[in-house]
Amino acid sequence: WDSYTMAPVPEQISMEGQRGAGSQEGSTALGDLHNIKIVYNAEIRDLDCFQSLLLCWGSCGFMKYNTKRGYLYVRENSIEMNYALTWCQDGPCGLESTTDYIKVWYFDAPPLKKESKCFGCMPMEPKLEVIDSGCIILCQKCCADESAIVMPYERFCFCCTNRVGCCDNNCGTCGPITGNPKVFSAFLPQPKNAKAFVEAAQAVHKQKAGLTV
């Protein structure tokens, strides 16, 4: 495991007031008070054509996706991601600046926490998996690509499946790909190697939150 280590503190800065061992609970607690262990540092995939088109349209062509600044970490207690956008050099006022959209999903909190909702009618058993993010058009699979996602449950209200079936894609002729979850949370940015990322995340999540592998 890699780790982030706190930089040496200048002598003139007091060390008083720092948290000690046992002062944090749940997944926010660190194994080492001065290090955050990184289990997996995923190589970031570029946006697909549709996502690139949305970004270009939404920013009037002034913003670009920054894969070198963005990241996707599986940490000892969570998954952290940064979707980084950079103004192009010919953007407003000729300036280039970056905006970071950072999320942290702890293993003991939604969307990764195993829990029960609606008086037990909807058991939330999150599952990390790899899906085919394409679609079916005229019986042909289009824009096929592997994506890492979190599926919150297999079934809701005890009997309704959260998987795409023949009723959802006209018997496999047009619509979402059979077997994919209907409701899920996707990672942004996406890893280049979705399978390797999911395997690493599953290993830690299984320890922390009772993940179904």
Side-chain angles (χ1 to χ4, degrees):
W1 288 6
D2 296 326
S3 64
Y4 282 134
T5 303
M6 292 178 64
V9 179
E11 293 182 2
Q12 65 269 24
I13 296 179
S14 173
M15 296 295 288
E16 294 182 4
Q18 287 206 60
R19 283 178 162 179
S23 61
Q24 291 177 266
E25 295 181 349
S27 286
T28 60
L30 301 176
D32 183 329
L33 292 178
H34 300 294
N35 293 279
I36 300 177
K37 292 185 174 66
I38 304 296
V39 180
Y40 189 86
N41 184 355
E43 189 175 2
I44 300 304
R45 188 177 75 196
D46 205 352
L47 298 179
D48 60 32
C49 293
F50 180 68
Q51 291 171 326
S52 297
L53 182 62
L54 286 179
L55 177 60
C56 182
W57 176 78
S59 66
C60 298
F62 287 130
M63 299 197 82
K64 59 183 179 181
Y65 181 47
N66 192 335
T67 57
K68 292 185 177 180
R69 184 174 177 86
Y71 59 78
L72 180 59
Y73 301 147
V74 178
R75 307 192 307 184
E76 61 178 315
N77 56 6
S78 58
I79 297 176
E80 180 179 345
M81 62 202 90
N82 179 21
Y83 176 65
L85 298 177
T86 301
W87 287 100
C88 299
Q89 291 183 351
D90 55 352
C93 303
L95 299 177
E96 181 169 347
S97 60
T98 298
T99 302
D100 296 310
Y101 296 94
I102 299 171
K103 287 184 180 179
V104 178
W105 290 352
Y106 285 97
F107 291 125
D108 64 352
L112 299 174
K113 181 183 180 181
K114 184 177 180 179
E115 58 184 343
S116 182
K117 293 185 176 182
C118 298
F119 304 101
C121 294
M122 186 177 292
M124 309 293 286
E125 297 182 351
K127 182 179 180 183
L128 282 153
E129 64 177 66
V130 178
I131 66 168
D132 190 331
S133 55
C135 61
I136 299 174
I137 299 177
L138 299 178
C139 301
Q140 299 296 318
K141 188 183 292 186
C142 301
C143 304
D145 207 348
E146 291 186 336
S147 296
I149 61 97
V150 178
M151 182 178 66
Y153 45 76
E154 280 284 357
R155 293 183 178 274
F156 57 96
C157 296
F158 299 110
C159 59
C160 300
T161 180
N162 189 28
R163 298 284 183 179
V164 173
C166 62
C167 294
D168 306 301
N169 57 14
N170 298 292
C171 296
T173 60
C174 186
I177 294 176
T178 301
N180 276 356
K182 301 175 185 178
V183 178
F184 60 89
S185 298
F187 293 97
L188 191 63
Q190 277 287 324
K192 275 191 176 181
N193 191 330
K195 289 181 179 178
F197 167 78
V198 166
E199 287 176 1
Q202 283 178 337
V204 182
H205 193 191
K206 184 178 180 181
Q207 293 178 340
K208 298 291 184 180
L211 173 70
T212 301
V213 179

